[in-house]
């Protein structure tokens, strides 16, 4: 709708905006008087709520306490207060509703009975809706990192003009000004701007009531745009108005755009962050492009102008009327076709050679020697590391992953004499791990004490097959990586990420599928670099871990049988002794090289295991999980490689990490196409 | 010039060399050793791939009959027969002339015969060749249906392999052109056989199966009604089609699936307010009209969309605001664009080829969009240069474009406002009149229908049209063999006569001639009859006109009226006739024609007592006119009618339950009382 400037500008010809001041003050005045009564009721209601809440929440624990202390009478009395207080609330609500209708209308002061009932009964429905919202947003915008750029989920109670009222979890917007002239227009923005990583963003607004004149505007605006206006009237503000169906592109005069809209209509607004355009929908029908060359970081915005206008937003709380997934599918296809058709021109041969090199280096890095050899042979490449060296690394890694740390350290010292001497932090880390493995009962030292042969079946799930010969790898039993493994891994990582390393490390896993049969499967983990700094890495060596899930189950069932250090008294003594050695090593390190908070924490966490009768089920029990061997293993592997002047990261992992990093950089700089170019899609 | 001369002998020698090698290939087909023949065919296969010249040579040299002979000989090895089919298939891939030669050599029956063989590889080779032949526009489709055993056999082969599925469905999709073909395929359970192919893992098979359904369902209620009840893997067919319209599917698939649903909807198998139409098919078709699509796709999209929403105003409304469709269509007129002429000649050629198609598709869609809703018509006429485009479209060389343009004009001419404004401003009547002079019937029907609207009394174009000799033209239309044209002609005359000058009326009567008028009054088409009566009624309006026309043609008109009142006609026709009589009774001198005709008076009396109120009302009206007080001789007429017993009837009618009739009778009775 047009601002209808001619009717607005007073005879004196003063500026539009300044003239709005005087009329506003009178409105505020009236408001205050009207609000006073409401405020009074509101305060009394709140005090009552607090009292009841206090009674309600304190009576139960107090009652239980009294019951335990065998003060039965008082205990029963206190415990029974819970239902009694509830009953009071309900009765009060039933009585209060009639008299309180008017207050309930004014939004936040809705009766306390209502409030309580929401707390008691509404919780379930609320979380249900919340869950649906989260689920829908995740599936629509998988590329969005909500830690960095949260998605809009409701209207902002802070970022609105005073004539706007919010209710129903800040999703319903109603007009509460007097709506005489366009000066009385009022808008509200969503809590967050639209993240570029959405690629395509969509929200819908349902017109609950068109009010007096139906001067409603739905659109987008940047932070800081005047809220005393309808969307579209100002710079960096865009809107589609219901009364005339015009679109307003940062201007007081609209362009004919679509049909008008009114009570019952559902208007959708779709922002395409790839080509920076926007289109609207009405009742599920696309109306065509409304705006082009949109700036970034726009907020969903609605504006109302006359009394009685009420609109509801749907940021994903409910299914959308318009089939936005279909539209996104089109753009995903477009972007992926663009990537697929990326011209490499004359350099096709170079590309192939490069890719082969990357694959070979990856295989060597992770010491898949037989596979690497076969691959190098069939692709005519030279391996830059001696076979013996690869085999040595393989041996060490195998020991680490099977939890035989003592042997691993010994072998490392044997094969790379100066490595651990020079790198005392690494040695400390290995030793701490050894301590943990001792607790676990898997380390070779405690094993022999426990009467078990060190060569016996190790407990690392899936590890027996880790370094199988290539022939075995191709066997049908080791089919594709199952998705359960990913779920498992993703599930596990955050705990480790938070507790073990202070810097954020995000792992991405992928499966590289090669043509040749005998190296069918190579599984890799990819480091994610935050802030462009490459942090400590972790490389997985889970090859053909299709049996992983089953192993876990076995582990779980065996849990009850697990005993400290394998149950041997001698082993426990050895472990405690080793712990002392570790403690002194830590002190020694501190004296020599100053404080190291990472080391300190590592040791503390490891020692904490002894504080629990069942370390496996303790809060620090995650350390005992075999998956924690992986980072240790990869750190050791990288260190060994570094001594040979080889990269501590395989180029393949580096490239994948770089691609992922590029995507997040794109998200930050506002190129929406990153939404449809997930690295994972290409690794499968 | 010199260069050409020098080159010419060289070219001939090259040509003869080519012919020589070709001859060598053909000669080897006649080798007595079958092994040599096989090797010869294989070599020939490798030689012709992608070489149109070689293909033409071999055909000229008579390779085809020999290959067909080898293919049909049961003594030939299966390998040889297969290779022959492959070579023939390769030859068919060439130019249209190749196909013609192949068809002339009776390749189709030979290959169809080959399908009876049990070897799958051979069958596939035959099918591939058949497919290539049948998809060519030069092949007569009927050849597939001459032998009644062919279709059932093809159905039985359908599930043999991925290739048989693809080729057979492709043949069906191209060879189903008439309702008869649809019925034949339908009766051989094409639907049940092809439906499972819609979820085939092969893209090509799915696409061809989909195309089959689109040609089967086109304007076919039987097929459409069956289709809605078909389940594919437990899912309704319409849902399968909806999935095929997803935006990430190939455009061809989206478009064809939308066509299937459109045809099913138009046949009444799916309601127009079904979500799969309103939220899926319609938006999909609108997308097909967008600039991003190929010209062919845009044409098909627009035509299908026009067809889909033709009968439904709600769909028209939705389409009118979906994705700026109305302005999107304006782009259809911009080919060939100035850019295409500059960039390259190929593009220009391509654009030129599609320009007509694009324009006619756009006109069709506009016509469909504007057929019911006034707001949409306004939106259309406000589109840039719209009226100019229609005007120039009316005089384009392509009949298709002219027809579509006049359809569009007709659709827009239903708007009173447009008739008064843009139609007049752009003098659309001029090209319209020109179009009417010399055009095929289908164009004439639309054009004359539009003219009817332009001749409405409030249309400012009426005057200039009258001056351009339209009366003669319309009169000639009334003599047409086509009932639609006769209706339009007489309708236009009727509109023209409404509240017209004496001069115009006289001119109409003169040009039409009483003889033609009578012929029209005995026209088998009720519509023609009704409009002719309407014309008479309009001619006999104001009193001086009535008297004048009745004085010159009174006898004939009275005869005609008698004839109709006595004949077997519908109530509407009789009512219209009685109204004419009432008009006659309003004249000064014309009255006497009725008063002196006792037979007629008896008839009026009869209709006053008729069971139908409308007829009673019209008859009473007539009497009321006859006994009207203020006119000369009213007393005598009153007396005469009183004697005939009219007063009693009028008296009775004053008690009638119908208020109109009652009032009318009372007014008449008052004439007696005064």
């Amino acid at each position: 709708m047009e601002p209808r400037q001619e009717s607005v500008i007073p005879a004196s010809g003063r500026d539009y905006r300044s003239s709005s001041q005087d009329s506003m003050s009178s409105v505020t005045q009236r408001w205050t008087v009207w609000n006073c009564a409401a405020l009074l009721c509101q305060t009394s209601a709140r005090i009552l709520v607090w009292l009841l809440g206090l009674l309600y929440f304190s009576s139960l624990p107090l009652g239980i306490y009294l019951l335990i202390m065998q003060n039965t009478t008082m205990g029963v009395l206190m415990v029974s207060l819970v239902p009694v207080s509830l009953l009071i609330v309900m009765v009060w609500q039933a009585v209060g509703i009639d008299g309180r209708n008017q207050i309930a209308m004014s939004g936040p002061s809705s009766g306390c009975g209502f409030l309580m009932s929401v707390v008691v009964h509404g919780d379930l429905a609320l979380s249900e809706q919340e869950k649906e919202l989260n689920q829908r947003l995740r599936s629509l915008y998988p590329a969005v990192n909500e830690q960095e750029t949260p998605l809009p989920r409701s209207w902002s109670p802070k970022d609105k003009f005073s004539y706007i009222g919010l209710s129903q979890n800040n999703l319903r917007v109603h007009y509460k000004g007097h709506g005489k002239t366009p000066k009385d227009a009022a808008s509200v923005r969503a809590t967050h701007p639209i993240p570029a990583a959405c690629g395509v963003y969509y929200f819908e607004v349902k017109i609950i009531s068109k009010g007096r004149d139906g001067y409603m505007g739905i659109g987008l605006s940047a932070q800081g745009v005047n809220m005393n206006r309808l969307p579209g009237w100002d710079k960096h503000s865009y809107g589609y108005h219901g009364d005339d169906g015009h679109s307003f592109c940062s201007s007081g005069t609209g362009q004919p755009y679509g049909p008008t809209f009114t009570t019952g209509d559902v208007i959708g607004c779709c922002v395409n962050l790839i080509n920076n355009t926007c289109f609207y929908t009405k009742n599920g029908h696309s109306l065509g492009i409304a705006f082009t060359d949109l700036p970034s970081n726009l907020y969903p915005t609605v504006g109302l102008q006359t009394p009685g206008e009420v609109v509801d937003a749907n940021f994903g709380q409910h299914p959308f009327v318009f089939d936005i997934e279909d539209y996104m599918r089109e753009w995903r296809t477009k972007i992926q076709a663009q990537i697929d058709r990326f011209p490499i021109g004359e350099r096709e041969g170079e590309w192939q050679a490069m890719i082969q090199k990357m694959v070979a280096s990856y295989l060597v890095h992770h010491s898949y020697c037989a596979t690497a050899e076969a691959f190098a042979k069939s692709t005519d490449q030279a391996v830059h590391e001696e076979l013996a060296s690869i085999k040595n690394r393989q041996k060490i890694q195998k020991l680490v992953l099977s939890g035989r740390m003592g042997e691993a350290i010994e072998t490392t010292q044997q094969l790379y004499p100066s490595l651990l001497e020079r790198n005392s932090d690494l040695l400390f880390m290995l030793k701490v791990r050894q301590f943990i493995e001792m607790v676990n009962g898997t380390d070779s030292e405690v094993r022999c004490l426990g009467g078990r042969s060190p060569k016996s079946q190790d407990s690392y799930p899936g590890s027996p097959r880790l370094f199988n010969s290539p022939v075995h790898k191709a066997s049908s039993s080791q089919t594709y990586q199952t998705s359960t493994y990913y779920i498992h891994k993703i599930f596990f990582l955050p705990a480790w990420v938070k507790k073990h390393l202070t810097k954020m490390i995000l792992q991405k896993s992928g499966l590289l599928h090669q043509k040749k049969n005998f190296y069918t499967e190579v599984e890799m983990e990819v480091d994610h670099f935050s802030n462009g700094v490459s942090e400590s890495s972790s490389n997985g060596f889970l090859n053909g871990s299709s049996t992983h899930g089953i192993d876990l189950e076995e582990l779980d069932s065996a849990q009850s049988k697990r005993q400290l250090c394998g149950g041997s008294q001698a082993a426990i003594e050895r472990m405690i002794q080793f712990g002392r050695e570790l403690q002194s090593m830590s002190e020694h390190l501190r004296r020599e090289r100053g404080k190291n908070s990472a080391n300190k924490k590592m040791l503390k966490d490891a020692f904490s295991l002894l504080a629990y009768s069942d370390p496996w089920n303790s809060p620090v029990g995650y350390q005992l999980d075999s998956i924690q061997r992986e980072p240790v293993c990869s750190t050791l592997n990288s260190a060994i490689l570094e001594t040979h002047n080889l990269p501590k990261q395989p180029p393949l992992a580096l490239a994948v990490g770089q691609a992922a990093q590029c995507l997040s950089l794109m998200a930050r700089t506002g190129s929406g196409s990153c939404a449809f170019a997930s690295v994972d899609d290409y690794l499968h | 010039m010199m260069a050409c001369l020098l080159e010419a002998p060289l070219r001939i020698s090259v040509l003869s060399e080519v012919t020589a090698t070709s001859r060598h290939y053909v000669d080897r087909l006649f080798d007595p050793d079958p092994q040599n023949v096989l090797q010869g065919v294989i070599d020939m296969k490798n030689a012709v791939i992608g070489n149109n010249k070689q293909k033409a040579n071999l055909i000229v040299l008579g390779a085809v009959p020999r290959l067909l002979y080898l293919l049909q000989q049961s003594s030939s090895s299966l390998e040889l027969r297969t290779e022959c089919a492959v070579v023939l298939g390769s030859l068919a891939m060439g130019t249209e002339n190749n196909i013609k030669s192949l068809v002339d050599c009776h390749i189709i029956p030979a290959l169809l015969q080959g399908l009876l063989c049990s070897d799958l590889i051979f069958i596939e080779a035959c099918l591939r060749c058949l497919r290539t032949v049948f998809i060519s526009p030069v092949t007569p489709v009927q050849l597939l249906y001459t032998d009644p055993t062919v279709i059932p056999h093809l159905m039985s082969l359908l599930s043999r392999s991925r290739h048989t599925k693809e080729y057979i469905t492709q043949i069906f999709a191209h060879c189903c052109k008439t309702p008869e073909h649809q019925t034949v395929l339908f009766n051989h359970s094409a639907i049940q056989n092809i439906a499972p192919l819609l979820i085939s893992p092969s893209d090509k098979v799915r696409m061809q199966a989909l195309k089959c359904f689109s040609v089967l369902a086109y304007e076919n209620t039987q097929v459409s009604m069956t289709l809605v009840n078909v389940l594919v893997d437990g899912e309704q067919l319409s849902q399968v089609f909806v999935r095929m319209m997803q935006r990430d599917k190939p455009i061809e698939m989206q478009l064809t699936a939308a066509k299937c649903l459109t045809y099913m909807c138009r046949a009444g198998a799916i309601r127009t307010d079904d979500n799969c139409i309103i939220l899926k098919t319609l938006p999909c078709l609108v997308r097909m009209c967008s600039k991003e699509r190929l010209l062919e796709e845009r044409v098909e999209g627009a035509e299908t969309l026009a067809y889909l929403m033709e009968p439904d105003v709600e769909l028209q409304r939705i389409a009118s605001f979906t994705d700026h469709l109305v302005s999107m269509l304006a782009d259809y007129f911009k080919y060939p664009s100035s850019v295409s002429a500059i960039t390259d000649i190929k593009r220009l050629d391509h654009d030129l080829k599609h320009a007509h198609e694009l324009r006619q598709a756009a006109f069709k869609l506009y016509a469909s969009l504007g057929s019911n809703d006034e707001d949409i018509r306004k939106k259309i006429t406000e589109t840039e240069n719209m009226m100019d485009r229609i005007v120039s479209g009316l005089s384009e060389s392509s009949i298709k474009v002219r027809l579509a343009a006049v359809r569009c004009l007709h659709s827009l001419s239903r708007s009173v406002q447009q008739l008064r404004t843009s139609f007049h401003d752009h003098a659309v009547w001029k090209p319209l009149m020109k179009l009417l002079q010399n055009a095929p019937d289908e164009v004439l029907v639309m054009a004359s229908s539009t003219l009817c609207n332009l001749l409405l009394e409030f249309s400012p174009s009426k005057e200039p049209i009258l001056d351009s000799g339209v009366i003669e033209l319309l009169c000639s239309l009334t003599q047409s063999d086509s009932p639609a044209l006769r209706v339009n002609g007489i309708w236009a005359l009727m509109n023209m006569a409404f509240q017209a000058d004496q001069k115009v009326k006289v001119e109409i009567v003169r040009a039409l001639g009483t003889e033609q008028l009578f012929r029209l009054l005995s026209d088998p088409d009720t519509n023609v009859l009704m409009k002719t009566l309407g014309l008479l009624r309009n001619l006999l309006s104001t009193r001086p006109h009535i008297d004048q026309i009745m004085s010159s043609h009174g006898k004939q008109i009275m005869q005609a009226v008698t004839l109709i009142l006595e004949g077997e006609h519908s109530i509407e026709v009789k009512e219209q006739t009685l109204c004419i009589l009432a008009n006659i009774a309003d004249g000064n001198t014309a009255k006497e024609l009725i008063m002196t005709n006792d037979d007629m008076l008896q008839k009026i009396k009869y209709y006053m007592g008729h069971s139908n109120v409308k007829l009673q009302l019209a008859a009473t009206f007539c009497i009321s006119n006859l006994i009207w007080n203020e006119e000369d001789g009213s007393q005598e007429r009153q007396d005469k009618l009183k004697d005939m017993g009219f007063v009693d009837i009028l008296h009775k009618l004053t008690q009638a339950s119908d208020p109109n009739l009652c009032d009318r009778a009372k007014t008449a009775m008052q004439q007696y009382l005064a």
Side-chain angles (χ1 to χ4, degrees), chain B residues 167-382:
Chain B
Y167 301 145
I168 294 175
T169 43
Q170 200 173 356
I171 290 171
F172 287 161
H174 274 89
C175 294
C176 181
K177 307 247 187 217
T178 66
E180 291 77 45
H181 298 162
Q182 288 174 338
T183 311
V184 171
L185 290 173
F186 178 77
N187 288 341
H188 287 104
S189 39
I191 292 174
Q192 289 74 12
N193 283 320
I194 300 173
L197 307 187
L198 284 176
I199 50 168
S200 153
S202 154
D203 274 348
K204 282 180 184 168
V205 173
R206 260 182 299 160
M207 193 58 229
Q208 295 306 333
L210 187 60
K211 277 188 178 169
C212 268
F213 282 123
S214 85
V215 291
L216 279 169
Y218 179 64
E219 291 190 336
N220 192 316
T221 316
Q222 191 185 29
V223 172
S224 301
M225 286 298 185
T226 315
L227 282 181
V228 275
N229 296 318
V230 171
L231 292 180
V232 181
D233 205 18
E235 197 179 11
Q236 280 198 329
L237 205 55
S238 54
Q239 288 312 305
V240 177
F241 289 148
V242 165
R243 221 164 350 97
M244 290 174 135
M245 285 192 296
Q246 283 180 354
R247 290 176 178 220
D248 53 350
K249 296 281 185 294
I251 298 299
E252 193 188 16
M253 185 175 278
Q254 292 183 37
L255 181 54
T256 318
K259 272 181 168 177
C260 287
L261 286 165
T262 299
Y263 299 153
M264 285 161 75
C265 177
R266 280 303 302 267
I270 304 177
R271 290 164 55 100
T272 48
D273 58 359
D274 193 301
N275 269 351
C276 77
I277 296 296
I278 229 163
L279 285 175
K280 298 288 171 188
T281 311
L282 181 96
C284 174
L285 288 171
V286 173
R287 282 204 302 277
M288 294 302 136
C289 301
S290 91
K291 229 175 180 171
E292 291 166 42
R293 301 276 75 87
L294 300 175
L295 299 185
E296 296 91 326
E297 291 159 357
R298 291 167 79 180
V299 170
E300 270 192 72
E303 285 181 335
T304 314
L305 183 57
Y307 182 62
L308 173 68
M309 64 189 183
E310 209 174 13
D312 190 280
V313 65
E314 194 49 40
L315 289 181
Q316 290 159 10
R317 283 199 193 112
I318 291 170
S320 74
F321 65 66
T322 300
D323 283 341
H324 308 298
L325 178 65
V326 174
S327 52
M328 193 150 75
L329 281 177
D331 280 334
Y332 276 48
F333 296 94
K334 294 180 179 158
Y335 293 90
S337 65
S338 45
V339 188
S340 56
I342 297 163
T343 45
D344 61 325
I345 199 79
K346 230 178 184 171
R347 165 98 187 268
L348 179 68
D349 188 48
H350 177 253
D351 286 0
L352 269 175
K353 220 191 276 171
H354 289 94
H356 296 300
E357 288 292 310
L358 279 167
R359 277 199 290 272
Q360 62 90 20
F363 280 137
K364 264 188 203 163
L365 191 45
Y366 276 133
S368 201
L369 271 172
S371 59
N372 295 98
D373 190 289
E374 185 64 37
D375 288 340
I376 303 176
R377 285 187 202 121
K378 188 160 172 278
K379 212 167 161 181
I380 293 172
T381 34
E382 279 167 2

Side-chain angles (χ1 to χ4, degrees), chain B residues 26 29-30 58-73 84 88 91 101-102 104-107 110:
Chain B
V26 179
L29 295 180
F30 294 90
L58 288 175
I59 290 169
V60 169
L61 293 168
V64 178
R66 180 65 188 168
L67 284 168
L68 280 175
Y69 172 79
L70 291 170
L71 181 125
Q72 283 171 297
Q73 279 301 303
C84 285
L88 287 169
L91 293 178
S101 321
L102 289 172
D104 289 344
C105 293
H106 305 290
I107 187 176

